[in-house]
Amino acid sequence: MHKPLLSVLASLFALAQPAQAAVETEIALAPGGYRWLEQGGGDGPLYMVISIEKQRVHVYSGDRLIGAASVSTGMKGHRTPTGDYPILQKRQWHRSNLYSNAPMPFMQRLTWDGIALHAGHNPGYPASHGCIRLPYAFARQLFALTKIGTLVEVTQARLSAALKFDPLVLGDPGSTVVSFGPATGRPPVLPPSDAEEDGVPMLDIDPAIFTPRLRR
């Protein structure tokens, strides 16, 4: 019944380095600043977490933080919407269809109604018309790493790692999705597995690192 849990957990444990993710979440950056902690995309799934409150983007490979940069999100009246977005389109040289043909180098579209990542003026506070402006050199390097479908999560405040899964995994009633984060309260009790009855060893979950969420 819960055999898919084995493959999901195995991939997570192969990627898990929670100490690094916890230590490197606070990186001092000036407005327009950025830092790469690793070269290349790494072995895990590449994705980004963008915090509106902190005006910062973190780039992850699995749970490993590989890059961080200052950003400028939407100003008052043009707030950048929070949510999960796959990259829909990439254009190295692009101009805005909405705002006076403004240049948007290394554009990576998140929505079809005008929200995108791109290089631009980066004062360290919200100043755009909704897009997420990145330092120019960082935008260029990020553009080389991402693909159509790379996931971007825009949050109000959080920058911590959050592994993403294929919709086929999320839609499987026998799968258990495990997210990173500190354990709160008593560790949840997972239902018994058919694999345990068959004598197949199951992976133990450390509640200090993973918080299981059962999906049906």
Side-chain angles (χ1 to χ4, degrees):
M1 176 180 176
H2 291 279
K3 290 182 180 179
L5 172 61
L6 284 173
S7 59
V8 174
L9 286 178
S11 64
L12 284 174
F13 274 80
L15 296 171
Q17 296 179 19
Q20 181 187 24
V23 169
E24 293 178 345
T25 51
E26 298 299 330
I27 297 177
L29 291 173
Y34 69 93
R35 181 181 171 192
W36 288 105
L37 305 172
E38 294 184 19
Q39 295 299 319
D43 298 328
L46 187 77
Y47 64 96
M48 283 163 266
V49 181
I50 296 166
S51 169
I52 293 175
E53 180 179 298
K54 298 176 182 177
Q55 292 294 282
R56 187 75 59 89
V57 57
H58 277 184
V59 183
Y60 289 96
S61 174
D63 72 318
R64 296 196 326 277
L65 180 63
I66 64 171
S70 168
V71 303
S72 181
T73 58
M75 59 184 156
K76 187 176 181 180
H78 298 276
R79 299 290 188 188
T80 302
T82 59
D84 296 321
Y85 305 97
I87 292 174
L88 302 173
Q89 182 186 45
K90 296 179 61 173
R91 286 186 177 174
Q92 184 172 349
W93 306 114
H94 181 73
R95 288 187 174 272
S96 173
N97 299 320
L98 300 175
Y99 299 106
S100 304
N101 209 33
M104 299 170 63
F106 304 105
M107 187 276 293
Q108 304 191 66
R109 184 182 299 279
L110 303 183
T111 73
W112 292 114
D113 58 357
I115 306 300
L117 301 164
H118 65 84
H121 179 52
N122 196 281
Y125 55 82
S128 79
H129 285 93
C131 285
I132 298 145
R133 296 178 185 168
L134 306 170
Y136 190 94
F138 180 85
R140 181 180 62 233
Q141 291 173 272
L142 183 66
F143 190 90
L145 290 178
T146 61
K147 300 177 181 179
I148 300 298
T150 295
L151 290 170
V152 179
E153 182 177 9
V154 180
T155 73
Q156 187 58 39
R158 181 178 61 79
L159 275 170
S160 56
L163 290 182
K164 304 295 182 179
F165 296 92
D166 189 277
L168 291 176
V169 174
L170 296 178
D172 186 342
S175 295
T176 298
V177 178
V178 183
S179 62
F180 284 89
T184 56
R186 298 178 60 187
V189 178
L190 294 176
S193 167
D194 293 341
E196 288 175 326
E197 297 174 1
D198 296 338
V200 178
M202 296 290 290
L203 290 173
D204 291 329
I205 298 175
D206 184 348
I209 300 174
F210 299 106
T211 303
R213 300 196 311 274
L214 296 180
R215 300 223 179 179
R216 297 180 175 234

